[in-house]
Amino acid sequence: MDTIERIKEQISQNAILLYMKGSPKLPSCGFSSQAAQAMMSIGEKFAYVDILQNPDIRAELPKYADWPTFPQLWINGELIGGCDIILEMYQQGELQELVKEAAQADSENA
């Protein structure tokens, strides 16, 4: 399976997916840390991919997503955005709503 196929599979198999540097508990950059903190505070499970452990994904995802930076949050197969957008949506309460809806729909389809 090539890298783009792997990315597509990860996105389709996870209703809520954060591509980040490091892990939610041990982030390797400030932006990934802020994004992961916002996601964890919502209290729903989410998948993540550590792009530092997956250099092929780190190289290919920005081209596939047409989004140059990390972290990248994907919900229901759609790119939501990076750190600034995640934090802005979180502060406005939009992110919590989106995440909870995706998590609920995902558990109903499980």
Side-chain angles (χ1 to χ4, degrees), residues 38 41-42 85-96:
S41 73
I42 295 171
I85 292 170
I86 292 167
L87 294 180
E88 187 179 312
M89 287 178 71
Y90 180 80
Q91 287 162 351
Q92 294 173 353
E94 293 172 29
L95 187 64
Q96 293 87 322

Side-chain angles (χ1 to χ4, degrees), residues 11-24:
I11 291 168
S12 71
Q13 289 180 349
N14 296 287
I16 306 164
L17 177 60
L18 183 65
Y19 286 97
M20 63 180 293
K21 294 178 179 174
S23 70

Side-chain angles (χ1 to χ4, degrees), residues 9-107:
E9 187 176 276
Q10 289 170 342
I11 291 168
S12 71
Q13 289 180 349
N14 296 287
I16 306 164
L17 177 60
L18 183 65
Y19 286 97
M20 63 180 293
K21 294 178 179 174
S23 70
K25 300 249 189 274
L26 281 171
S28 298
C29 92
F31 297 115
S32 287
S33 175
Q34 290 179 309
Q37 285 295 322
M39 292 301 295
M40 287 190 297
S41 73
I42 295 171
E44 297 291 347
K45 286 193 313 196
F46 65 95
Y48 74 93
V49 173
D50 179 356
I51 59 157
L52 299 177
Q53 301 293 322
N54 297 276
D56 53 337
I57 290 176
R58 183 180 189 177
E60 293 297 322
L61 185 59
K63 295 177 221 160
Y64 174 75
D66 200 19
W67 191 269
T69 59
F70 294 96
Q72 288 186 17
L73 176 62
W74 291 76
I75 297 181
N76 292 330
E78 204 174 305
L79 176 62
I80 302 303
C83 184
D84 291 347
I85 292 170
I86 292 167
L87 294 180
E88 187 179 312
M89 287 178 71
Y90 180 80
Q91 287 162 351
Q92 294 173 353
E94 293 172 29
L95 187 64
Q96 293 87 322
E97 214 171 284
L98 200 57
V99 167
K100 286 184 186 299
E101 280 174 19
Q104 185 177 354
D106 191 45
S107 68

